[in-house]
Amino acid sequence: MSGFSGKTVVVTGAAGGIGQVMTRTFAAKGASVALIDKDDSVLAFAESLGNEGFNAAASIADIEFEEQVSSSFDELRSELGPVNILVNNAGFSSASNLETTTGDGWRHDIGGNLNGTYHCASHALEDMKPAGDGVIISIGSVNGLTSLGDPAYSAAKAGMISYTKALAMEYGRFGIRANMVSPGTVRTPIWDHRVKREPEIFEKLVKWYPLRRVADPQDIANAAAFLASSEAAAITGAVLPVDCGLSAGNIVMTREITQLEF
């Protein structure tokens, strides 16, 4: 895979489990990395990357709010230059089912996931369009493909699929590509509270995955780096599941029907 020397990559949600690995993956391949997160720990993370010899800068923003996104992009451009690659990684869910979803919660999840993706892409396009080149990678979810709980989050991720395809259609003529990576379960610190309550949770979940494992953050980062690279130059408008086979079918039901253990 070719490197990203001379490229500036913006990663949103950069302080999280996937975000940190994503950022390190692009930095290790030569990119200058611009980190955005609403958690101020992103500043210390960027500083640690700088101490390791990587070219990194960070800005605090809640991407739900366009004015904060605008300020962050201006700040990061002044430090690292125009944006070449955007990884819309930030995401969250505030309610696991419709019964506990409120109107405010719905608007918050749509705002932070779907609207935030739009805000960031819009500002990245300001650099990409005149340059005649650029890549937008959005981190979606298998929740956007089928119903798996977290309804507001899932609706936002489904909307991101449509938005990714619209970006690919409208901006392809400017040499800009847009794709999505859709993970299933990923082992990140966000699961720590659930593991503490239910230590066997991952053992319960793996039965649904044909590969008999769940993904880790590096799996997601590797897929995003591939789609951002020149090796994927003819790929745009694609939704790539990185889910250990979850969306390929219902493996539990298949075992029941075939009466085979696989």
Side-chain angles (χ1 to χ4, degrees):
M1 184 181 295
S2 63
F4 297 98
S5 179
K7 302 287 187 182
T8 296
V9 181
V10 172
V11 179
T12 68
I18 295 175
Q20 289 198 23
V21 174
M22 186 78 68
T23 301
R24 285 187 175 280
T25 297
F26 278 100
K29 294 178 181 294
S32 296
V33 287
L35 293 62
I36 297 177
D37 204 293
K38 62 184 179 182
D39 189 322
D40 63 9
S41 66
V42 74
L43 301 178
F45 178 43
E47 184 177 359
S48 70
L49 289 171
N51 292 337
E52 294 171 37
F54 298 117
N55 194 20
S59 181
I60 300 170
D62 185 338
I63 63 170
E64 181 177 357
F65 303 104
E66 193 276 335
E67 64 275 11
Q68 294 187 32
V69 173
S70 179
S71 294
S72 283
F73 269 76
D74 286 345
E75 179 184 347
L76 293 168
R77 278 192 195 99
S78 69
E79 294 193 54
L80 299 178
V83 177
N84 306 109
I85 298 165
L86 167 66
V87 182
N88 283 311
N89 170 68
F92 64 90
S93 174
S94 58
S96 62
N97 54 58
L98 288 171
E99 287 293 321
T100 57
T101 299
T102 64
D104 285 343
W106 180 275
R107 285 184 287 273
H108 181 51
D109 280 17
I110 296 295
N113 290 288
L114 179 57
N115 296 350
T117 293
Y118 169 79
H119 297 324
C120 292
S122 294
H123 284 278
L125 286 167
E126 293 176 5
D127 292 339
M128 295 176 182
K129 186 176 173 182
D133 186 43
V135 181
I136 298 172
I137 307 293
S138 294
I139 307 303
S141 170
V142 292
N143 285 55
L145 303 171
T146 190
S147 179
L148 293 165
D150 300 277
Y153 167 86
S154 300
K157 294 300 185 180
M160 286 168 63
I161 293 173
S162 181
Y163 180 57
T164 295
K165 292 180 181 293
L167 286 170
M169 292 294 290
E170 294 194 29
Y171 291 95
R173 69 188 190 277
F174 298 109
I176 298 167
R177 298 187 295 109
N179 292 294
M180 178 177 281
V181 174
S182 290
T185 304
V186 183
R187 287 183 183 267
T188 66
I190 202 169
W191 281 88
D192 288 351
H193 72 285
R194 180 69 180 272
V195 171
K196 195 172 295 184
R197 187 174 76 245
E198 192 178 0
E200 71 281 5
I201 181 61
F202 285 116
E203 285 66 35
K204 286 184 176 180
L205 289 174
V206 294
K207 69 183 179 184
W208 295 95
Y209 290 86
L211 289 182
R212 297 182 182 271
R213 73 174 184 93
V214 299
D216 61 43
Q218 192 64 61
D219 293 316
I220 312 308
N222 289 344
F226 165 69
L227 288 172
S229 75
S230 59
E231 280 83 352
I235 301 174
T236 193
V239 179
L240 176 63
V242 183
D243 62 1
C244 297
L246 179 66
S247 60
N250 187 327
I251 189 66
V252 175
M253 184 175 183
T254 301
R255 291 189 190 110
E256 291 292 333
I257 291 171
T258 60
Q259 298 184 326
L260 293 173
E261 279 297 325
F262 58 87

